[in-house]
């Protein structure tokens, strides 16, 4: 077990990158987990397209770059296309079932593709259910205050779905769509207001309310002897 680990997180877009760099990374650094985020890329483009073939190129580059780092993903399930295990997800699947299906399928494929780089040990897949914005529902009071809406209205969404990671991913009821509806401008500013709200809520609160997010972080903590 190492005294510390370094992790490269391949993320979907700018919001996720800022979230990791400014909110999650400082939290993890206190636990001797040093995470750096980079947007999934292809020539001339950043973010947006999260098909596996595009991500695979980045996975290969980072797994081959250094043998002592870990590589992870931070992709939104909402809008995911052409991804390992996606076809096996049923409409009735719970967030835990969806995560297990996608993460296991992704780990299996990446381990096969990059066995020489010990991907089975070094790669930690994570798909955010249903999208990054769901984490902001971890504290309805803070979210409601930031948006200027009634706290019971926000709390009712979480209660109705069971937990933030279970908030519906339909085009009308995905977390991002709900935030847009509550925003005074009709468009929630993810990279500014969203990050500010995330900072106010804090990672500890998100872990309490989002078991899949907690499990992802806990995996890295256990590699350096951190507590669950």
């Amino acid at each position: 077990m190492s005294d510390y680990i370094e992790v490269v997180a391949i993320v979907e877009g700018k919001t996720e990158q800022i979230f990791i760099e400014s909110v999650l990374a400082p939290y993890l650094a206190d636990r001797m987990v040093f995470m750096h985020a980079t947007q999934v890329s292809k020539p001339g483009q950043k973010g947006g397209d999260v098909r596996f073939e595009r991500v695979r190129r980045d996975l290969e580059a980072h797994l081959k770059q250094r043998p002592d780092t870990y590589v992870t993903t931070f992709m939104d399930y909402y809008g995911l296309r052409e991804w390992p295990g996606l076809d096996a997800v049923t409409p009735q699947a719970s967030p835990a079932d969806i995560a297990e299906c996608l993460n296991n399928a992704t780990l299996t494929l990446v381990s096969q593709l990059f066995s020489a780089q010990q991907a089975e040990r070094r790669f930690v897949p994570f798909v955010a259910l249903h999208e990054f914005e769901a984490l902001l529902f971890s504290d309805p009071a803070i979210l409601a205050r930031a948006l200027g809406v009634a706290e019971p209205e926000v709390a009712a969404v979480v209660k109705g779905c069971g937990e933030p990671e279970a908030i519906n991913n339909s085009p009308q009821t995905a977390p991002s769509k709900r935030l847009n509806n509550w925003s005074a401008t009709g468009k929630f500013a993810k990279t500014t207001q969203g990050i500010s709200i995330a900072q106010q809520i804090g990672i500890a609160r998100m872990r309490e309310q989002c078991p899949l997010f907690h499990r992802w972080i806990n995996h890295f903590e256990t590699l350096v002897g951190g507590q669950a």
Side-chain angles (χ1 to χ4, degrees):
M1 192 168 293
S2 175
D3 292 334
Y4 71 93
I5 62 169
E6 296 181 51
V7 183
V8 176
I10 301 172
V11 303
E12 177 177 345
K14 191 65 175 177
T15 303
E16 291 82 6
Q17 184 177 25
I18 296 173
F19 169 70
I20 287 179
E21 299 286 4
S22 64
V23 185
L24 181 57
Y27 174 92
L28 291 175
D30 288 340
R31 290 151 178 78
M32 302 305 291
V33 176
F34 300 99
M35 182 177 286
H36 167 71
T38 179
Q39 290 183 63
V40 59
S41 61
K42 67 180 180 182
Q45 183 177 349
K46 288 280 186 180
D49 182 357
V50 290
R51 289 169 172 79
F52 178 76
E53 267 308 301
R54 183 178 169 205
V55 177
R56 184 192 64 77
R57 292 191 289 268
D58 285 18
L59 288 171
E60 180 177 14
H62 289 292
L63 284 167
K64 289 183 175 180
Q65 191 171 48
R66 282 177 51 188
D68 58 342
T69 59
Y70 290 83
V71 179
T72 189
T73 56
F74 192 115
M75 305 291 169
D76 288 354
Y77 171 65
Y78 177 63
L80 207 62
R81 298 289 182 271
E82 298 176 14
W83 197 267
L86 192 61
D87 292 344
V89 174
T90 65
Q92 298 79 25
S94 68
D97 291 338
I98 295 172
E100 182 177 16
C101 182
L102 297 179
N103 291 336
N104 286 349
T106 306
L107 178 59
T108 296
L109 179 56
V110 173
S111 297
Q112 292 170 350
L113 290 171
F114 309 116
S115 59
Q117 285 72 43
Q118 301 182 55
E120 185 174 6
R121 176 181 64 84
R122 295 173 55 215
F123 175 58
V124 185
F126 177 68
V127 174
L129 293 179
H130 285 93
E131 50 189 343
F132 158 77
E133 288 88 338
L135 298 175
L136 305 182
F137 285 77
S138 296
D139 195 313
I142 291 176
L143 182 57
R145 185 167 60 248
L147 295 174
V149 299
E151 181 183 344
E153 185 175 358
V154 179
V157 171
V158 180
K159 183 177 180 180
C161 295
E163 60 189 28
E165 290 173 317
I167 293 175
N168 200 323
N169 67 321
S170 80
Q172 292 75 38
T173 58
S176 59
K177 299 302 187 293
R178 296 178 188 268
L179 295 176
N180 284 342
N181 291 336
W182 285 327
S183 176
T185 63
K187 182 65 175 177
F188 182 72
K190 295 194 299 182
T191 58
T192 54
Q193 191 174 21
I195 297 302
S196 175
I197 293 170
Q199 290 172 329
Q200 294 176 58
I201 293 172
I203 298 300
R205 178 66 172 169
M206 291 178 182
R207 294 183 70 172
E208 291 174 0
Q209 301 300 314
C210 304
L212 301 176
F213 181 69
H214 164 74
R215 190 180 307 166
W216 178 55
I217 293 176
N218 185 63
H219 181 93
F220 297 118
E221 288 178 328
T222 59
L223 295 174
V224 289
Q227 294 182 350

